[in-house]
Amino acid sequence: MASFTELVENSNHHPQEKINIETVNNIEITSSSSSAAAPAAPASSSSRYENQKRRDWNTFGQYLRNHRPPLTLSRCSGAHVLEFLRYLDQFGKTKVHTPMCPFYGHPNPPAPCPCPLKQAWGSLDALVGRLRAAYEENGGKPETNPFGARAVRLYLREVRDLQSKARGVSYEKKKKRKRPPPPPPPQQQLPLSSPPLSGEPER
């Protein structure tokens, strides 16, 4: 497998397309496979998360360097994050039907269609979460974190609603069933007083 640096150096496309394509594609793969895989040990799961976060951070840093004009992290805003997320759509693998498509709102379309492939909402949401954490781990202040900007949150919500309608799937979190309250402990019955013995006066 080619390294990140090799992929960047060997790319002959637009400067902003010199990003590690395998890393970008892993955004989709990681999100979809993690839910289907069997739960792993906490240490292994944490290690995979940290590795993915580091790859995402490197990818975003490369995007800023290849930006025209180049951007520094200190000048990065929520608008640049939105630009980055829209840029990633070209590497998406999730079919998002347009309102004119006969399969709009169909969760299992019976035939192919020319609708575009985009990054799934769940992949983008997880990516923003990792980059938000990486930003602060690399010295950024929470109050200036561009990945936590209101515009980014609104964009993710818009993508979620649009893809939910277009794909006929629900992204609503399933409410956990409330466990029935435990039954009250049985009340202890007081012992009945024994009747007086014959010949013994009652008290």
Side-chain angles (χ1 to χ4, degrees):
M1 180 182 294
S3 67
F4 176 80
T5 305
E6 290 171 346
L7 284 170
V8 172
E9 292 177 348
N10 294 335
S11 174
N12 295 320
H13 301 295
H14 186 276
Q16 285 189 353
E17 294 180 358
K18 292 182 180 178
I19 290 179
N20 183 346
I21 305 303
E22 291 184 1
T23 302
V24 173
N25 286 340
N26 278 341
I27 295 170
E28 178 76 17
I29 296 170
T30 302
S31 176
S32 58
S33 62
S34 59
S35 58
S44 176
S45 177
S46 175
S47 176
R48 284 198 302 270
Y49 171 81
E50 293 299 328
N51 290 337
Q52 184 66 52
K53 182 171 62 177
R54 183 167 56 252
R55 287 194 296 267
D56 295 338
W57 184 248
N58 290 338
T59 300
F60 184 71
Q62 187 67 39
Y63 178 81
L64 295 182
R65 289 189 292 273
N66 291 333
H67 193 277
R68 292 295 176 266
L71 282 171
T72 60
L73 190 60
S74 60
R75 296 178 57 192
C76 180
S77 66
H80 297 120
V81 174
L82 295 182
E83 186 181 279
F84 175 65
L85 296 180
R86 294 188 180 103
Y87 165 78
L88 293 178
D89 270 338
Q90 63 184 301
F91 308 108
K93 300 179 181 179
T94 299
K95 179 78 71 173
V96 180
H97 302 290
T98 63
M100 301 300 294
C101 178
F103 304 136
Y104 182 81
H106 199 300
N108 298 301
C113 68
C115 292
L117 294 174
K118 296 188 176 184
Q119 291 288 345
W121 165 77
S123 300
L124 293 178
D125 187 58
L127 170 66
V128 169
R130 291 191 295 268
L131 290 175
R132 184 174 182 175
Y135 177 86
E136 297 179 13
E137 290 172 2
N138 284 274
K141 297 180 179 179
E143 56 270 19
T144 60
N145 193 329
F147 300 98
R150 183 173 183 270
V152 176
R153 296 196 304 269
L154 292 177
Y155 175 77
L156 290 175
R157 188 184 307 169
E158 179 183 343
V159 171
R160 181 194 64 185
D161 295 343
L162 186 149
Q163 292 192 6
S164 176
K165 294 176 181 177
R167 302 178 60 206
V169 295
S170 175
Y171 292 120
E172 297 295 333
K173 292 183 179 180
K174 295 181 179 179
K175 295 182 178 180
K176 295 182 179 180
R177 293 182 178 180
K178 293 183 179 180
R179 295 183 179 180
Q187 296 182 352
Q188 295 181 352
Q189 297 182 351
L190 297 175
L192 299 176
S193 57
S194 56
L197 299 176
S198 55
E200 183 179 353
E202 295 185 4
R203 296 180 181 178

